């Protein structure tokens, strides 16, 4: 059976990022995966209903009665629900396609798997992961970022 891999659409050159741009990565392995039809592109934020372009957003720690994480735009709008909806839609697509892993854009409040911005909109990264990554991990789907393609390949090989 084919090995499907979920991928952040912006990594395939789709202009879905908050700034309306893409970040096409010229990675031979990813090109190969794409040619083989292994890749399932998703943009959780767009699937959650957010427009392109959109305000940058970061995850902040909740306070008081709302200890869970929230996603706030730079202008102060709470977009947590859209991010959560996008994450759930992404999981549905992952399950429908029986993906064995995800290759998602680093540092994004949706897609980041190791680091995210700290919520102060000052460009500072902290350890943590995005809203979609949390949902995928909870479903047992391993998440790699675009700098971990060789790790992803090792993982795929281990799967046989
Ligand atoms: Fe890329 Fe993910 Fe941001 Fe969409 S939500 S633009 S796929 S990093």
């Amino acid at each position: 059976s084919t090995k499907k891999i979920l991928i952040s659409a912006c990594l395939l050159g789709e202009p879905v990022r908050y700034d309306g741009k893409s970040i096409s990565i010229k990675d031979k392995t990813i090109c190969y995966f794409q040619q083989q039809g292994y890749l399932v592109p998703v943009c959780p934020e767009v699937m959650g209903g957010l427009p392109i372009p959109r305000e940058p957003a970061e995850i902040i720690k909740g306070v008081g009665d709302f200890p869970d994480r929230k996603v706030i735009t730079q202008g102060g709008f709470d977009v947590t629900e859209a991010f959560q909806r996008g994450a759930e839609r992404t999981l549905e697509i992952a399950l429908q396609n029986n993906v064995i892993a995800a290759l998602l854009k680093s540092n994004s409040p949706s897609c980041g798997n190791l680091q995210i911005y700290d919520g102060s909109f000052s460009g500072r990264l902290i350890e943590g992961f995005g809203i979609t990554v949390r949902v995928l991990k909870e479903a047992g789907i391993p998440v790699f970022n675009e700098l971990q393609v060789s790790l992803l390949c090792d993982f795929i090989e281990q799967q046989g």
Side-chain angles (χ1 to χ4, degrees):
S1 66
T2 41
K3 290 170 175 164
K4 296 279 190 177
I5 302 158
L6 200 71
I7 187 167
S8 290
C10 61
L11 292 177
L12 289 181
E14 292 184 32
V16 288
R17 273 162 54 94
Y18 71 92
D19 56 7
K21 292 181 180 151
S22 66
I23 20 116
S24 189
I25 45 168
K26 305 271 177 269
D27 183 290
K28 282 193 182 122
T29 306
I30 294 176
C31 286
Y32 171 76
F33 287 160
Q34 192 175 17
Q35 283 159 6
Q36 295 298 310
Y38 295 163
L39 300 181
V40 179
V42 288
C43 176
E45 291 171 28
V46 170
M47 293 191 305
L50 295 169
I52 309 166
R54 54 191 171 277
E55 265 196 290
E58 294 189 4
I59 295 173
I60 59 164
K61 283 209 182 72
V63 288
D65 290 341
F66 304 99
D68 210 6
R69 304 188 304 172
K70 283 189 172 298
V71 191
I72 305 293
T73 70
Q74 195 158 20
F77 290 100
D78 186 338
V79 286
T80 310
E81 268 182 37
F83 271 64
Q84 191 64 36
R85 201 162 45 234
E88 280 156 19
R89 185 75 192 103
T90 298
L91 175 61
E92 281 171 23
I93 291 171
L95 296 176
Q96 279 161 9
N97 285 279
N98 215 4
V99 305
I100 59 165
L103 176 57
L104 302 186
K105 172 70 182 71
S106 59
N107 305 344
S108 150
S110 292
C111 294
N113 69 333
L114 293 176
Q115 291 185 302
I116 50 171
Y117 291 101
D118 72 355
S120 65
F121 294 94
S122 57
R124 205 164 352 151
L125 286 163
I126 53 170
E127 258 181 56
F129 42 83
I131 303 293
T132 290
V133 172
R134 177 199 270 192
V135 168
L136 293 175
K137 278 183 164 195
E138 281 173 359
I141 298 168
V143 181
F144 300 84
N145 68 40
E146 75 280 14
L147 305 172
Q148 298 177 310
V149 176
S150 65
L151 269 182
L152 169 63
C153 290
D154 291 347
F155 173 78
I156 293 169
E157 267 173 36
Q158 284 162 22
Q159 303 303 298

